[in-house]
């Protein structure tokens, strides 16, 4: 191979600007996913089919279709069908946030089902109404038990945020593509981009592993 690597031509500034946009997308999507995911989990557990079924279809749609299709659909179909025009960054946040909501809802639902019956009965005995039981008993327990999955899903949405580059949001991937085209150095550029994604994702994955190991030790 006669290719000569030259990383000196890779400008870090634009990539860091793109990383800032990517982090904005990720944090906002996670806020939506964490909050709306819990509400959705409660709706999925409704005893009434008329409430439960539409939200089950919502979850299955986001779980069973490619994320890239969801991003494109939001950017091109929502404005045409609903006559709603939002800032591209906001559209990206909504697309990623709703995707994350569907996956987090399943994590919450499993955790809610794992809340000990004794805790629920204690809430009833104390005279707490249903909303108070959700707030003071179910939510704290379910959130605590779901943390490893929520963090893992958060890493996943950070990586999937690269898909918004196809609709010209200037995230890390978009800036990487632009830089690779301008410098004719795709190998070096996308190597640096990959390392940036890794540098952000790896510490979070280690936190997830640490939490799971501590839980395993506590349960032993």
């Amino acid at each position: 191979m006669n290719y000569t690597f030259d990383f000196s031509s890779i400008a870090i500034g634009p990539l860091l600007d793109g990383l800032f946009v990517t982090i904005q997308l990720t944090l906002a999507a996670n806020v939506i996913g964490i909050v709306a995911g819990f509400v959705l989990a409660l709706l999925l557990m409704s005893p009434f089919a008329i409430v439960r079924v539409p939200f089950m279809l919502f979850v299955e749609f986001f779980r069973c279709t490619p994320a890239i299709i969801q991003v494109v659909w939001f950017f091109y179909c929502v404005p045409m069908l609903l006559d709603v025009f939002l800032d591209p960054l906001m559209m990206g946040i909504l697309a990623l946030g709703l995707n994350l909501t569907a996956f987090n809802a399943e994590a919450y639902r499993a955790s809610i089902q794992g809340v000990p019956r004794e805790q629920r009965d204690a809430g009833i005995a104390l005279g707490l109404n249903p909303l108070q039981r959700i707030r003071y008993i179910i939510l704290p327990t379910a959130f605590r038990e779901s943390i490893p999955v929520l963090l893992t899903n958060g890493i996943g949405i950070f990586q999937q945020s690269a898909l918004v580059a196809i609709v010209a949001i200037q995230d890390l991937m978009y800036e990487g593509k632009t830089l690779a085209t301008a410098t004719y150095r795709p190998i070096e550029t996308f190597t640096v981009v990959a390392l940036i994604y890794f540098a952000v994702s790896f510490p979070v994955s280690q936190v997830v592993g640490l939490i799971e190991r501590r839980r395993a030790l506590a349960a032993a």
Side-chain angles (χ1 to χ4, degrees):
M1 183 177 70
N2 296 322
Y3 187 84
T4 302
F5 290 91
D6 180 14
F7 285 92
S8 63
S9 62
I10 307 305
I12 296 298
L15 297 181
L16 293 180
D17 291 339
L19 176 62
F20 178 72
V21 174
T22 293
I23 290 175
Q24 283 183 296
L25 284 165
T26 303
L27 292 178
N30 270 279
V31 170
I32 293 173
I34 289 172
V35 175
F38 182 76
V39 176
L40 181 57
L42 295 175
L43 293 170
L44 289 171
M45 299 178 70
S46 171
F48 305 105
I50 193 172
V51 175
R52 185 177 64 253
V53 171
F55 293 103
M56 288 178 61
L57 294 175
F58 171 89
V59 170
E60 293 307 318
F61 170 78
F62 281 96
R63 292 180 63 190
C64 299
T65 57
I68 191 170
I69 296 296
Q70 298 163 19
V71 170
V72 171
W73 196 90
F74 264 87
F75 272 82
Y76 296 110
C77 298
V78 168
M80 294 174 63
L81 295 175
L82 304 179
D83 198 29
V84 174
F85 299 90
L86 299 175
D87 179 82
L89 184 63
M90 182 59 65
M91 293 293 281
I93 289 170
L94 287 175
L96 297 173
L98 292 177
N99 175 283
L100 187 58
T101 294
F103 285 90
N104 283 353
E106 290 299 302
Y108 278 126
R109 182 162 65 163
S111 297
I112 291 171
Q113 291 172 339
V115 175
R117 179 73 184 186
E118 294 78 7
Q119 292 187 19
R120 299 171 186 264
D121 292 341
I124 295 172
L126 290 171
L128 301 180
N129 61 44
L131 288 178
Q132 289 175 323
R133 293 199 296 272
I134 289 172
R135 179 180 177 183
Y136 295 113
I137 297 175
I138 296 176
L139 175 58
T141 303
F143 179 75
R144 185 171 57 251
E145 293 300 317
S146 301
I147 286 176
V149 179
L150 296 178
L151 288 174
T152 300
N153 290 346
I155 295 173
I157 214 68
F158 169 69
Q159 295 164 352
Q160 289 188 23
S161 68
L163 297 174
V164 302
I166 66 172
V167 288
I169 291 181
Q170 297 177 339
D171 72 324
L172 176 56
M173 186 64 180
Y174 180 90
E175 294 293 351
K177 289 170 58 180
T178 302
L179 188 59
T181 302
T183 61
Y184 299 99
R185 291 285 176 177
I187 296 178
E188 292 91 334
T189 301
F190 289 117
T191 297
V192 173
V193 169
L195 289 173
I196 293 174
Y197 277 111
F198 177 81
V200 176
S201 299
F202 182 72
V204 181
S205 70
Q206 295 305 296
V207 171
V208 174
L210 177 62
I211 292 173
E212 291 178 338
R213 287 193 295 273
R214 286 188 174 181
R215 285 189 174 179
L217 289 173

